[in-house]
Amino acid sequence: MSMKLAALAAASLLFAGCSAERGSSPNRTAQETLLISVAADRAAEALAAQVPANLTAWIDASGFSAEDQAYGLAAIQDALLRHGVRLVAERNKADAVILPRAGMLSTYEKSTLVGIPSLPSPVAPGVMMPSLSFYSQNVAKGSAKFAASVYDPRTGKLIVSTDPAYGFSRQNNGTVLFFFTWHKNDMGVDFSENPPKVEARK
């Protein structure tokens, strides 16, 4: 009986140091999606700054292909509107056609760990034992590249061909000596707060 109690106590201690973690139900985590959307916003702003203001324009989305196509196009439309471009829903009412394209809209991630990585528990399938980090760092970057051709819909004459417009975002999380952690990003969101603290848009 005492042997069974001892085994039960040992298992309880083992489970106390284990964790089962699920980052996100969708294909992308919330922070990964935020990295991409912030990069898209910044690239869209850089793109819109190159388009002449006071145009009445129709957007041709046929050349814009990306996994996050809907958000990228919406970000470009918003930036154009804020820069004084008037958008119309019909091509025949426009004095310019804007043909945007996406060369990049993705993330890059790199992890460094000095210690013992998270491993499956030998006694509880599906449960992960926590990693032991003397030093760990996770760096994630969002990147976007947009460009556009603007032309007269009646003559087909080019009005402007923009230079590539880039947008980037960055997040850096890490741990030193098991307990000392940091969370930094350039997206205006502090994930160490609960709920996350969001800076006002300037």
Side-chain angles (χ1 to χ4, degrees):
M1 185 68 179
S2 59
M3 291 291 292
K4 291 182 179 179
L5 290 175
L8 180 61
S12 299
L13 290 173
L14 178 62
F15 288 135
C18 298
S19 64
E21 181 176 345
R22 186 176 183 183
S24 179
S25 294
N27 292 330
R28 286 178 171 159
T29 65
Q31 294 186 38
E32 184 181 12
T33 303
L34 183 61
L35 283 164
I36 291 175
S37 62
V38 169
D41 288 337
R42 292 171 178 172
E45 179 67 21
L47 176 68
Q50 302 180 58
V51 177
N54 300 318
L55 285 178
T56 299
W58 177 75
I59 293 184
D60 180 357
S62 64
F64 196 97
S65 178
E67 185 174 352
D68 296 272
Q69 175 179 347
Y71 188 90
L73 280 172
I76 290 173
Q77 291 171 341
D78 177 73
L80 289 169
L81 289 167
R82 288 187 289 103
H83 279 264
V85 176
R86 296 179 296 274
L87 300 179
V88 294
E90 299 178 24
R91 180 188 175 109
N92 58 9
K93 294 182 178 179
D95 53 33
V97 172
I98 300 177
L99 180 64
R101 56 191 183 273
M104 174 174 59
L105 193 55
S106 186
T107 58
Y108 165 82
E109 299 181 25
K110 181 180 179 180
S111 297
T112 302
L113 172 65
V114 179
I116 301 174
S118 178
L119 298 172
S121 169
V123 296
V127 176
M128 299 296 292
M129 299 185 66
S131 61
L132 298 177
S133 304
F134 294 104
Y135 172 83
S136 68
Q137 180 175 242
N138 300 305
V139 177
K141 301 177 182 179
S143 303
K145 175 190 174 185
F146 298 156
S149 301
V150 184
Y151 63 91
D152 188 311
R154 289 170 288 277
T155 66
K157 184 177 180 179
L158 182 68
I159 297 174
V160 64
S161 178
T162 70
D163 292 329
Y166 293 92
F168 301 99
S169 58
R170 180 184 175 91
Q171 178 178 296
N172 186 337
N173 301 327
T175 302
V176 175
L177 297 178
F178 309 116
F179 302 109
F180 303 101
T181 63
W182 70 88
H183 305 275
K184 298 179 181 179
N185 67 70
D186 64 355
M187 300 177 289
V189 181
D190 184 358
F191 287 103
S192 65
E193 300 285 340
N194 188 19
K197 182 179 178 181
V198 181
E199 293 180 4
R201 180 175 179 178
K202 297 180 180 180

